[in-house]
Amino acid sequence: MSNASQSPLSPLPAPDRPEVAARLRDALLGASFTADGLLELLGAPAYAALARSETVPALRATRGDTPLEMLVRLFLLQQPVPHARVADVLPVDACLATGWLEHAGADELAATVDVRPYGGPGGEDWFIVSDLGCAVGGAGGIGSRDEGVVLGVGGASTTLAGITVRTPVGAALDLGTGSGIQALHAARHATRVTATDLNPRALHITGLTLALSGAPAADLREGSLFTPVRDDETYDLIVSNPPFVISPGARLTYRDGGMGGDDLCRTLVQEAGERLNEGGFAQFLANWQHVEGEDWQDRLRSWVPRGCDAWIVQREVQDVNQYAELWLRDAGDHEGDAAQYQARYDAWLDEFEARKVKAVGFGWITLRRTGAAVPSLTVEEWPHPVEQPLGDTIRAHFDRIDHLRGHDDAALLEGHFRLAAEVVQEQVGLPGAEDPEHVVLRQNRGMRRATRVDTVGAGFAGVCDGTMSAGRILDAIAQLIGEDPVLLRDRTPAQIRLLVEQGFLDPVR
């Protein structure tokens, strides 16, 4: 969702020549210009350096004359390559005619766009197209010279792709598509994909990404937020990596939403509900303000639209100074005039002070359209490592919420449960002590949660293999520890519900 009306940008390849994109794709694959091929050529250190926008190691690793080295220099490192050498590998005349390549001097060619190999979740060899200098790493200051720039793959893009629920759907919507990464993922499991962006250049590049990756074309629409969506259109999946940065104004619109504070993220979440089909998911990355005198969790609960379950996870919090410094560096402002840098830093802090903002949170927001009378709202902080992809974990969370909502305590005790995969028990206490101070259940998959349980909870979880009802297990535990089974049945369902909700136990349906 950026605006390309400011400064001139390089011409882009023609969007209406899919046959040329197909020929180019075949040539790239034939030279092993893939994610695996790059890793093998460059080695892990140089490959990782590329993700940090550091190109020197890759330049050193591509000093040879193989087709793959030539393609890396051409499409990832923006190095001109001899015309004759390119002609040995690519359909040069077609690429020149359609704008993928251009002349750079008498006998050299240069790429007009970055092309980054990208491995799909099913082993697909995809290619993400972006503006020159933007294929790898973050913005690295590029935004300071061009507001209309379209970035390639970054950490936010891969995070959103990893948390997205991947079930077959009829219609998917990618809001603020950028270079088309989310639309490309959605094309694997959605019959129809619509991609929107305020920046027409981003839509053009999304079309190139899909064509070069061999994916079906998407319905590309220009406009902000839900403006390009017709009133009668609804979707089974909505995803967005919006320009969520909370900043004074919208100087760099590839990242700054143009609304005050966190209003853009709030508006996006609030308007998504009415665009979802029953059971459909909407998933976003977002920033939110921590305002003096206000509970940040209450602030986010107020964003959730009526008729939707929600699971909101805060992954990181930065104080306003750290936050301003992060995004000033992202724009390259720290490398410019010192007085101008200080003035811009002051402007950020003035904005936060006026809004009584003390910190900014970052995380994931997942909505699911539900017909339940009382929707489930879970807002939590989880800054610890997780195991991506998390799409199946997120879908399973909502499935478990449905199960718990449909079973009162009596029905819960009649149900059967199974301990989730790779859950281990840890006993914590002083060395040599006869009994542990407490018992911890820990997941080694998905969210990788840990939760304290009492002796009954630990014993219950350890026995759950789906064969016995919860009530019968508790009766056996009561007999073992000499407790009244009726009292144990009365006090344990709350603990069972927590273990189910957090994914330690799975209902056997």
Side-chain angles (χ1 to χ4, degrees):
M1 294 182 184
S2 54
N3 191 327
S5 62
Q6 295 288 326
S7 55
L9 289 162
S10 61
L12 294 172
D16 56 351
R17 297 290 301 277
E19 74 283 359
V20 176
R23 290 177 63 193
L24 176 57
R25 170 180 171 79
D26 288 343
L28 297 177
L29 293 176
S32 297
F33 187 65
T34 64
D36 290 342
L38 280 187
L39 181 59
E40 183 176 351
L41 170 68
L42 301 179
Y47 190 78
L50 269 182
R52 302 190 300 271
S53 298
E54 297 291 349
T55 58
V56 172
L59 283 167
R60 293 175 60 85
T62 56
R63 290 178 290 190
D65 196 36
T66 67
L68 180 55
E69 288 169 304
M70 182 271 294
L71 291 174
V72 172
R73 291 196 299 272
L74 183 67
F75 285 115
L76 276 180
L77 304 177
Q78 285 80 65
Q79 301 295 305
V81 175
H83 185 293
R85 190 70 192 94
V86 179
D88 290 337
V89 181
L90 302 180
V92 166
D93 291 342
C95 288
L96 284 168
T98 54
W100 288 95
L101 300 174
E102 63 183 3
H103 291 284
D107 59 353
E108 290 186 315
L109 299 177
T112 58
V113 289
D114 271 340
V115 177
R116 172 177 171 172
Y118 180 76
E124 301 91 347
D125 289 314
W126 289 340
F127 300 97
I128 308 301
V129 179
S130 60
D131 271 312
L132 292 172
C134 301
V136 292
I142 188 85
S144 61
R145 75 167 189 258
D146 205 325
E147 292 189 13
V149 71
V150 178
L151 303 183
V153 180
S157 301
T158 55
T159 294
L160 179 58
I163 68 171
T164 300
V165 175
R166 302 293 177 193
T167 53
V169 295
L173 173 65
D174 175 15
L175 281 177
T177 187
S179 56
I181 300 161
Q182 309 308 324
L184 181 57
H185 278 275
R188 294 185 71 245
H189 61 103
T191 303
R192 177 172 59 89
V193 177
T194 301
T196 72
D197 205 290
L198 185 62
N199 181 3
R201 187 176 183 86
L203 296 175
H204 187 142
I205 284 180
T206 290
L208 298 176
T209 290
L210 294 172
L212 194 58
S213 298
D219 181 2
L220 305 176
R221 303 183 191 178
E222 183 179 345
S224 180
L225 300 178
F226 289 97
T227 303
V229 178
R230 296 193 303 270
D231 290 343
D232 61 344
E233 288 182 305
T234 55
Y235 297 88
D236 306 297
L237 175 66
I238 299 172
V239 292
S240 184
N241 175 22
F244 53 66
V245 177
I246 299 170
S247 63
R251 184 169 64 95
L252 304 176
T253 48
Y254 73 87
R255 64 165 205 206
D256 306 323
M259 296 186 186
D262 53 16
D263 283 352
L264 182 136
C265 292
R266 175 185 56 79
T267 301
L268 183 62
V269 173
Q270 289 180 336
E271 293 183 357
E274 64 185 20
R275 299 295 185 177
L276 282 176
N277 294 324
E278 185 74 20
F281 287 91
Q283 299 186 265
F284 316 103
L285 301 185
N287 273 175
W288 44 79
Q289 298 171 152
H290 285 228
V291 178
E292 186 177 339
E294 177 186 76
D295 186 308
W296 68 270
Q297 293 178 317
D298 288 342
R299 181 181 191 85
L300 287 171
R301 289 187 186 99
S302 74
W303 291 10
V304 178
R306 186 173 302 175
C308 287
D309 292 327
W311 184 16
I312 302 173
V313 181
Q314 180 168 272
R315 295 287 291 157
E316 184 179 358
V317 181
Q318 290 185 316
D319 66 50
V320 292
N321 298 327
Q322 292 174 309
Y323 189 79
E325 291 162 11
L326 168 68
W327 293 109
L328 287 166
R329 286 195 303 272
D330 176 84
D333 290 328
H334 62 303
E335 298 174 347
D337 178 77
Q340 187 178 61
Y341 173 79
Q342 183 175 345
R344 286 176 175 164
Y345 200 148
D346 269 333
W348 282 70
L349 297 187
D350 286 344
E351 177 82 4
F352 286 132
E353 184 176 339
R355 295 178 176 275
K356 298 183 177 181
V357 176
K358 57 185 181 179
V360 177
F362 166 80
W364 319 323
I365 297 176
T366 299
L367 308 177
R368 185 189 60 167
R369 189 76 185 175
T370 180
V374 181
S376 167
L377 303 183
T378 301
V379 183
E380 63 176 324
E381 184 167 20
W382 190 254
H384 310 294
V386 298
E387 181 190 46
Q388 284 275 38
L390 278 169
D392 287 345
T393 297
I394 290 173
R395 177 188 50 77
H397 166 85
F398 287 96
D399 288 345
R400 292 192 302 271
I401 291 297
D402 277 344
H403 183 87
L404 293 174
R405 190 160 44 199
H407 290 73
D408 60 17
D409 286 355
L412 196 72
L413 293 177
E414 290 297 318
H416 295 238
F417 300 90
R418 183 177 290 111
L419 188 67
E422 296 194 37
V423 172
V424 298
Q425 176 180 305
E426 300 174 357
Q427 297 188 153
V428 180
L430 293 173
E434 184 174 344
D435 296 311
E437 292 179 18
H438 58 265
V439 177
V440 173
L441 298 182
R442 187 179 301 277
Q443 302 167 350
N444 286 318
R445 304 296 302 272
M447 292 293 287
R448 292 179 173 166
R449 295 186 186 276
T451 189
R452 290 177 59 171
V453 292
D454 59 19
T455 304
V456 172
F460 180 86
V463 175
C464 282
D465 62 1
T467 59
M468 294 174 61
S469 70
R472 286 187 60 196
I473 293 174
L474 290 180
D475 290 344
I477 292 175
Q479 184 176 7
L480 186 65
I481 65 177
E483 185 169 339
D484 185 336
V486 175
L487 293 178
L488 193 61
R489 279 175 173 253
D490 284 344
R491 70 178 177 87
T492 307
Q495 189 171 190
I496 296 174
R497 286 184 182 276
L498 181 63
L499 292 175
V500 172
E501 181 178 344
Q502 294 190 342
F504 291 93
L505 297 176
D506 291 321
V508 178
R509 296 177 175 86

